[in-house]
Amino acid sequence: MATVAIVGASGYAGQETLDRVLTHPALELYALGSDSLAGEAAHALDPRLGRNGWSRIPRFITNGAALSCGADVTFVCLSHREAAELVPPSRGVVIDLSGAHRSAEPSVYPSWYGFEHPHPHGLELWSYGLPEVSPPSGRLIANPGCYATAALLALAPIADEIARDGVVVDAKSGMTGAGRSPAASSHAGVVLENVTPYRVGEHQHAPEIASLLGFPVTLVPHLLPVRRGLLATCFVRSLGVDLRAVLEDHYATSHVVTVLPEGVVPDLARVQQTDGAEIGVFEDRLTGGVIVICALDNLGKGAAGQAIQNVNLLYGLDETAGLRLAGVLV
């Protein structure tokens, strides 16, 4: 059993990571970090954690204490700026679910995240862990962003087979994509009965996508009035190759990403609360273009599920251990 510390366990990503660690056959929870809940029992975060069967959950400690506790695996579930400030432990695997280490280029951070990176010379030590496209390596892993995950799952396998100019990603995410901290833009009066584009032309996942693809795309994110789930619709032009065949071949052995049969559209309801992703491929009969759609849960495959998947690969475990890959549509 590998011991686990979760830094920033009281946020959405931290809570989702905790939930998966508790049911993972090869991970043992060792430390729960939260500066706001330090000293409290686990049920202060969620009353369900105080029920019978979860008595082994430790009390919350500070994030600093969790980071330095010597766990085999440390999940960092903090804001971009907070995660950037941290000095990673000298041992064990570290999975950063923020955007603080997704680029090895220091200039990305002031331009796209709004701060100078405090540890620019250590950025090259982090690997980008998108298992189906860029498998994790080493012990310091940057977990991809949710929009980037969906766009790259749809586009990376076909990147060499499409025109590189004019690629558009129209993406929509549930409210939890913005994190648990309240903001004026996440008030019910703004979100409910509404769909809002935001950070148009300046979302931080755009350079992340471009870095992996090797060319830029136009990313337009939208906020959906739902709790969770993400849908990315990508508009591309084939260079004469059957893009469906390329995607089906790439994901033929994947237990996490499914290329749907022809004519079947990806559906948020099928991926919500899971760690899987669905991809649909369609021809635009009028323009001759191709539309590739990816659906996933922004907190699952877009965050905590992917973090667990990366740990599984690094430890040589079953890639799907601890993941939620099946649900019931009701």
Side-chain angles (χ1 to χ4, degrees):
M1 299 286 282
T3 56
V4 169
I6 303 176
V7 180
S10 58
Y12 288 135
Q15 190 170 359
E16 291 280 329
T17 302
L18 168 61
D19 193 53
R20 286 158 179 79
V21 169
L22 290 175
T23 59
H24 197 290
L27 299 180
E28 179 182 4
L29 182 64
Y30 183 66
L32 274 180
S34 170
D35 289 340
S36 62
L37 294 176
E40 301 281 349
H43 62 75
L45 174 64
D46 186 335
R48 290 172 293 185
L49 296 176
R51 295 175 183 169
N52 293 336
W54 298 122
S55 57
R56 59 191 174 93
I57 303 178
R59 300 180 78 86
F60 282 100
I61 57 178
T62 65
N63 285 324
L67 187 70
S68 61
C69 72
D72 298 317
V73 179
T74 300
F75 294 101
V76 177
C77 305
L78 299 172
S79 70
H80 309 310
R81 190 184 293 268
E82 289 174 314
E85 294 282 351
L86 298 181
V87 175
S90 59
R91 65 170 298 274
V93 169
V94 181
I95 310 287
D96 182 6
L97 280 75
S98 82
H101 300 97
R102 290 174 187 159
S103 176
E105 177 51 58
S107 64
V108 166
Y109 297 93
S111 298
W112 294 90
Y113 287 90
F115 61 86
E116 295 282 347
H117 203 289
H119 305 293
H121 301 298
L123 289 171
E124 71 278 0
L125 300 176
W126 294 77
S127 77
Y128 189 81
L130 178 53
E132 295 80 9
V133 173
S134 174
S137 62
R139 70 178 194 90
L140 303 180
I141 310 301
N143 219 51
C146 54
Y147 284 123
T149 295
L152 290 170
L153 290 178
L155 297 176
I158 59 174
D160 293 334
E161 314 297 346
I162 60 176
R164 295 192 163 199
D165 60 319
V167 177
V168 175
V169 179
D170 181 339
K172 301 172 178 64
S173 175
M175 298 169 60
T176 49
R180 178 163 270 156
S181 298
S185 59
S186 62
H187 287 177
V190 175
V191 176
L192 298 181
E193 305 295 333
N194 196 12
V195 177
T196 310
Y198 66 100
R199 304 202 70 175
V200 179
E202 57 180 19
H203 196 280
Q204 69 272 12
H205 291 180
E208 184 180 338
I209 296 168
S211 177
L212 266 288
L213 290 181
F215 56 87
V217 305
T218 296
L219 171 65
V220 184
H222 301 72
L223 179 62
L224 290 176
V226 299
R227 290 184 179 181
R228 57 197 302 160
L230 188 154
L231 196 72
T233 302
C234 308
F235 302 89
V236 303
R237 288 194 172 276
S238 171
L239 296 177
V241 175
D242 183 346
L243 299 184
R244 167 177 285 277
V246 174
L247 287 162
E248 287 178 339
D249 181 67
H250 186 86
Y251 294 115
T253 60
S254 177
H255 297 289
V256 175
V257 181
T258 302
V259 179
L260 299 171
E262 190 169 349
V264 179
V265 297
D267 190 321
L268 277 189
R270 285 196 299 266
V271 296
Q272 285 171 327
Q273 305 282 351
T274 82
D275 299 321
E278 295 184 349
I279 293 177
V281 187
F282 303 87
E283 180 183 355
D284 188 325
R285 292 173 56 191
L286 188 61
T287 69
V290 179
I291 304 165
V292 185
I293 305 171
C294 181
L296 52 79
D297 190 313
N298 56 293
L299 295 177
K301 178 60 174 167
Q306 187 140 265
I308 295 294
Q309 190 181 354
N310 279 322
V311 169
N312 290 340
L313 290 174
L314 290 172
Y315 274 83
L317 304 171
D318 181 338
E319 185 177 354
T320 63
L323 301 186
R324 306 170 183 163
L325 295 173
V328 178
L329 184 62
V330 294

